[in-house]
Amino acid sequence: MEKICNDYEISEKTLALIPAYNLEFGTIAMEGKEEYYVKKTPLELIKHAALIGGAEYDGRRSSMSFLTGIKRKVPIPINPRKNIYAFPTQSPSQMDCHWIFFSHVNLISAAASVTNKETTVLFQNGQKLQLKASPHTLDKQMYRTWMCVKALSGDLPVMP
């Protein structure tokens, strides 16, 4: 039986937050080769981590939207000083929204499926995560997160 935690602190080691469809826990946190089963939802963990990183989730979201022009599925700089950026796989209000941590992604590839709406995310440490999203969607989210990193480093002009 897995150990269920009341809380989880997102760190530089976090790979992904996976929504859990379980009555006892709301998130599976992938960290290195480990998995943690956490009572809170992925969005609750993201919002708490943003606060620890220096600003509220809504403020970070608004800032990234302003700086990049992104309006939906906005990537969140959890803690820019520690290079912790995460992007949602779909609207964060959706129950099936996964959060992927940008700096750990090595490769995004189409999974063998009839609908071509399944993707494998290969992390730099060799871990894999299968998602029900198109490779195009995840590639777009990676690009958007890169834009956020560049915007905060001053390398991207502010969008009008």
Side-chain angles (χ1 to χ4, degrees):
M1 174 75 183
E2 60 274 336
K3 183 178 184 305
I4 299 171
C5 310
N6 287 325
D7 208 351
Y8 171 79
E9 189 169 324
I10 291 170
S11 73
E12 297 96 325
K13 297 177 184 178
T14 307
L15 305 177
L17 299 177
I18 304 165
Y21 311 103
N22 191 297
L23 294 174
E24 295 183 39
F25 55 93
T27 303
I28 301 168
M30 290 179 68
E31 182 180 293
K33 301 274 185 189
E34 303 291 321
E35 289 185 349
Y36 298 92
Y37 302 88
V38 189
K39 289 188 178 184
K40 293 182 178 178
T41 66
L43 187 55
E44 287 173 327
L45 294 172
I46 292 286
K47 286 181 176 184
H48 184 257
L51 276 174
I52 291 171
E56 288 188 359
Y57 168 86
D58 291 332
R60 294 228 188 251
R61 187 184 184 290
S62 294
S63 175
M64 289 302 95
S65 187
F66 174 77
L67 292 172
T68 64
I70 299 167
K71 303 295 181 207
R72 294 190 176 124
K73 296 191 278 188
V74 178
I76 302 298
I78 303 291
N79 190 328
R81 291 182 316 274
K82 294 183 176 183
N83 196 33
I84 304 173
Y85 293 80
F87 64 85
T89 58
Q90 56 185 271
S91 170
S93 64
Q94 297 296 311
M95 214 172 114
D96 198 34
C97 179
H98 293 60
W99 286 86
I100 309 299
F101 288 75
F102 178 73
S103 66
H104 294 288
V105 176
N106 187 43
L107 180 68
I108 292 172
S109 62
S113 77
V114 178
T115 63
N116 196 30
K117 291 204 179 218
E118 289 190 15
T119 303
T120 300
V121 177
L122 176 64
F123 295 102
Q124 291 179 0
N125 70 353
Q127 292 281 87
K128 291 181 181 179
L129 178 61
Q130 197 88 5
L131 295 170
K132 290 183 182 178
S134 72
H136 172 75
T137 297
L138 294 183
D139 282 337
K140 187 174 175 180
Q141 286 302 93
M142 283 290 289
Y143 176 72
R144 288 172 161 188
T145 308
W146 174 84
M147 286 177 58
C148 292
V149 172
K150 289 299 183 184
L152 288 179
S153 68
D155 294 338
L156 188 71
V158 175
M159 300 302 286

